[in-house]
Amino acid sequence: MNNQKQQKPTLSGQRFKTRKRDEKERFEPTQFQDCIIQGLSETGTDLEAVAKFLDASGAKLDYRRYAETLFDILVAGGMLAPGGTLADDMMRTDVCVFAAQEDLETMQAFAQVFNKLIRRYKLIFLLIKTFKFYQLITIQKRYESERNKLAMLTGILLANGTLNASVLNSLYNENLVKEGVSAAFAVKLFKSWINEKDINAVAVSLRKVNMDNRLMELFPANKQSVEHFSKYFTEAGLKELSEYVRNQQSIGARKELQKELQEQMSRGDLFKDIILYVKEEMKKNNISEQTVIAIIWSSVMSTVEWNKKEELVAEQAIKHLKQYSPLLAAFTTQGQSELTLLLKIQEYCYDNIHFMKAFQKIVVLFYKAEVLSEEPILKWYKDAHLAKGKSVFLEQMKKFVEWLKNAEEESESDAEEGD
C-alpha cells in the first residue's frame, strides 16, 4: 500500500462537476438579451413582477457573466452599441429606466429592482462600472430626459447605500463639465439623494471618498467660485447643498490661513505684513474676526515648545505672548472677538495641565497690552465662561475682577462729579 500523502488538487487544470441545478445556461450576450427581454414582455410594467422574474431567472441565467448586458437592458432597454446608442437590429423593451415616467416614485420602484438583484447576486462592482459608463454616454443633448431619470435613480441608490459616491468621478469628465451636463445631472441627483436622506448623510458619504471638496469641479475653471456654485444650486432648489459647499470652502480657507500663519511666524515675518495678509484673507473668504482670533491664538501657541515644568511655563508663556500681543490686538476690535479669545485661553489652559495656574497671568497681560478690555472680561466671569475648569479659573480671576469693578465704579463716580 502506498502510504504517501495524496496531494491536494489545485485550481490549475482541475475540473469540477457541478450539481445539475447549479449549472447556468451559457448564451452569447444577444441570446442572453433576448431571454431577458422576452421575459420582461410578459411581466409588463409591474416592477414587482419584473423583480420576481429577474430573481427566478437568475437560477438559470448567468447574471455575473452578463451583468453589463443586464444593466443595459434595465437602464436603456437593450444592449448599447459603442458610443452609447441602441442598435436598430437589437430587441428592445420599454420596461427600463429610460422609457419610464420621469418622477421620483417611479425611480424609487426601479431602485428596489436593482437592490434585489445586487443583494442576491452581488453585482455591486459591475453596477458601479456600468453607471459610470451611462453617465459618460448621455452627454448628447437629445438624452436630457434619460439623463434626468438616471440622475434621480443614482441619487436614490446613493441614499440607500447601494452605490457609493465614487460614481460621481464620472461627472468630472471634461466634456460633460464643458457642456453643462455635469451640473445639470448633479441637480437631479442631489435632489433625490437629499429627499431620501438629508444633507448631513450626503456630506458623510462624500467625505468617505474624498468628494466633499471637489463639487466645484462640476463647473468649468472660470466658474469655479462659491458665489457661482451657490447661485446655481440655490436657484435649482438646493440651498442646503449651496450652504454645505460654502461651509466646506470656508473650512478649507481657514486651514490654509492657519498653515500660512504658522509659516510666517516661523520665518519671523513682520507683524504689519502678517496683519495685512490676514485681513486680505478675511475679506476674500468672508472669514469673521472671531474665527480669525481663534486661528491666531492657536498658531501663536503652536510656534513654541513649552517647558514641562509648571513653575517655569507661566513665565515662558508671558514672555512669548507679550511678543505677539500687537498681532492679537489687531484682531480683537470687537467685544465678541475678545470673548472668543478668553474662551480659547480658558480651553487651552484646561487642556494643557501645566497652564492651569497661568490663566490669570495671561488675561492680565492681555488687559495691560490692550488686547482685552473690561467688559468682555466681566462678561466672561459672570456667565460666558466654559464649564472646563471654571471653579479654578474663576477663583484665579476673583481679585482681578473685583479690581476691575471698583475701577469701573470709580470711573463712573468721577464722570458724575464732572457733570
Side-chain angles (χ1 to χ4, degrees):
M1 183 182 290
N2 187 1
N3 293 324
Q4 191 173 13
K5 190 173 182 181
Q6 187 176 358
Q7 286 188 334
K8 292 183 179 180
T10 62
L11 290 176
S12 176
Q14 186 75 22
R15 301 184 66 183
F16 296 91
K17 288 185 178 180
T18 58
R19 289 175 293 180
K20 190 71 177 176
R21 68 171 181 271
D22 290 336
E23 291 179 355
K24 305 287 185 183
E25 293 183 25
R26 292 189 176 275
F27 301 97
E28 290 302 311
T30 303
Q31 293 174 300
F32 176 86
Q33 174 188 248
D34 294 348
C35 287
I36 294 294
I37 290 179
Q38 180 62 42
L40 292 176
S41 67
E42 296 172 7
T43 66
T45 56
D46 181 353
L47 292 183
E48 286 190 14
V50 169
K52 288 180 182 177
F53 158 70
L54 292 171
D55 189 47
S57 299
K60 284 292 181 183
L61 301 178
D62 194 345
Y63 283 169
R64 282 178 169 271
R65 183 181 180 88
Y66 299 110
E68 291 191 40
T69 301
L70 178 61
F71 290 136
D72 277 356
I73 297 166
L74 294 178
V75 175
M79 278 199 308
L80 292 170
T85 57
L86 283 168
D88 292 332
D89 58 345
M90 292 288 186
M91 286 184 69
R92 300 188 187 184
T93 177
D94 288 332
V95 185
C96 65
V97 173
F98 284 177
Q101 291 291 320
E102 189 181 320
D103 61 70
L104 198 58
E105 186 177 351
T106 303
M107 293 304 107
Q108 287 169 334
F110 267 101
Q112 288 302 313
V113 174
F114 282 104
N115 286 336
K116 288 175 183 177
L117 271 176
I118 290 158
R119 282 199 301 267
R120 180 72 181 269
Y121 297 103
K122 296 180 174 59
L123 305 175
I124 183 62
F125 296 111
L126 283 168
L127 176 63
I128 290 171
K129 179 181 176 183
T130 308
F131 262 68
K132 288 179 180 179
F133 176 63
Y134 287 132
Q135 288 168 8
L136 289 172
I137 59 111
T138 53
I139 187 171
Q140 294 95 328
K141 291 294 183 184
R142 63 191 177 92
Y143 283 144
E144 182 179 356
S145 178
E146 287 85 349
R147 280 202 309 271
N148 290 343
K149 295 167 195 172
L150 180 63
M152 293 163 69
L153 178 62
T154 305
I156 295 165
L157 293 174
L158 283 164
N160 63 32
T162 303
L163 290 174
N164 70 52
S166 64
V167 297
L168 298 182
N169 273 312
S170 301
L171 296 181
Y172 300 130
N173 172 274
E174 186 178 352
N175 289 329
L176 288 170
V177 172
K178 182 180 177 181
E179 293 290 330
V181 171
S182 295
F185 191 96
V187 166
K188 293 289 184 180
L189 182 151
F190 280 109
K191 275 189 174 180
S192 62
W193 192 354
I194 293 171
N195 180 73
E196 296 288 311
K197 292 288 187 179
D198 58 38
I199 191 61
N200 294 324
V202 170
V204 170
S205 297
L206 292 172
R207 203 155 42 239
K208 282 181 180 177
V209 292
N210 298 317
M211 286 284 176
D212 49 326
N213 291 317
R214 293 195 63 194
L215 294 180
M216 294 242 266
E217 295 174 39
L218 293 167
F219 298 100
N222 63 339
K223 294 182 179 179
Q224 287 181 16
S225 68
V226 175
E227 289 69 27
H228 181 78
F229 187 99
S230 182
K231 184 175 185 294
Y232 184 92
F233 281 96
T234 298
E235 288 178 354
L238 283 164
K239 186 179 180 181
E240 57 268 73
L241 184 66
S242 300
E243 291 174 348
Y244 167 71
V245 167
R246 187 177 290 278
N247 186 51
Q248 285 299 107
Q249 190 73 5
S250 179
I251 291 170
R254 295 198 297 267
K255 287 180 179 177
E256 189 61 33
L257 173 60
Q258 181 153 7
K259 180 183 176 183
E260 179 60 25
L261 260 177
Q262 289 172 346
E263 289 179 1
Q264 290 177 348
M265 290 176 186
S266 65
R267 290 196 305 261
D269 289 6
L270 296 174
F271 286 157
K272 67 175 183 178
D273 295 333
I274 296 177
I275 291 168
L276 181 62
Y277 163 74
V278 173
K279 286 186 175 180
E280 287 175 351
E281 290 298 303
M282 286 173 67
K283 185 176 181 181
K284 184 170 72 175
N285 296 296
N286 195 29
I287 305 175
S288 69
E289 189 178 81
Q290 290 78 50
T291 300
V292 165
I293 195 63
I295 291 172
I296 293 174
W297 166 261
S298 177
S299 300
V300 166
M301 298 306 283
S302 66
T303 59
V304 65
E305 186 174 339
W306 298 107
N307 200 299
K308 300 299 182 184
K309 294 183 178 180
E310 189 174 359
E311 63 272 17
L312 298 177
V313 77
E315 183 180 346
Q316 184 188 11
I318 296 304
K319 185 178 179 180
H320 179 68
L321 293 172
K322 187 175 182 179
Q323 177 188 349
Y324 281 96
S325 291
L327 178 59
L328 291 156
F331 298 97
T332 51
T333 65
Q334 304 167 13
Q336 191 59 45
S337 304
E338 294 181 51
L339 188 55
T340 298
L341 178 57
L342 274 163
L343 294 173
K344 286 295 174 183
I345 298 168
Q346 180 185 352
E347 191 173 45
Y348 188 90
C349 290
Y350 178 81
D351 291 340
N352 296 273
I353 190 69
H354 299 305
F355 279 80
M356 286 293 285
K357 293 181 180 179
F359 178 78
Q360 185 262 2
K361 293 178 181 178
I362 294 172
V363 174
V364 172
L365 166 69
F366 284 163
Y367 175 76
K368 291 179 178 178
E370 298 185 348
V371 177
L372 298 173
S373 54
E374 293 91 337
E375 190 175 339
I377 294 172
L378 294 174
K379 181 170 178 55
W380 171 88
Y381 186 83
K382 182 180 179 182
D383 56 21
H385 48 260
L386 300 173
K388 292 181 175 182
K390 75 172 187 177
S391 59
V392 174
F393 299 134
L394 290 178
E395 181 61 31
Q396 282 184 35
M397 290 292 293
K398 188 175 180 180
K399 289 183 179 179
F400 182 63
V401 166
E402 287 175 358
W403 179 83
L404 284 179
K405 287 179 178 178
N406 291 334
E408 192 175 36
E409 289 170 3
E410 288 175 9
S411 178
E412 289 174 358
S413 177
D414 291 343
E416 288 174 2
E417 289 177 5
D419 293 340

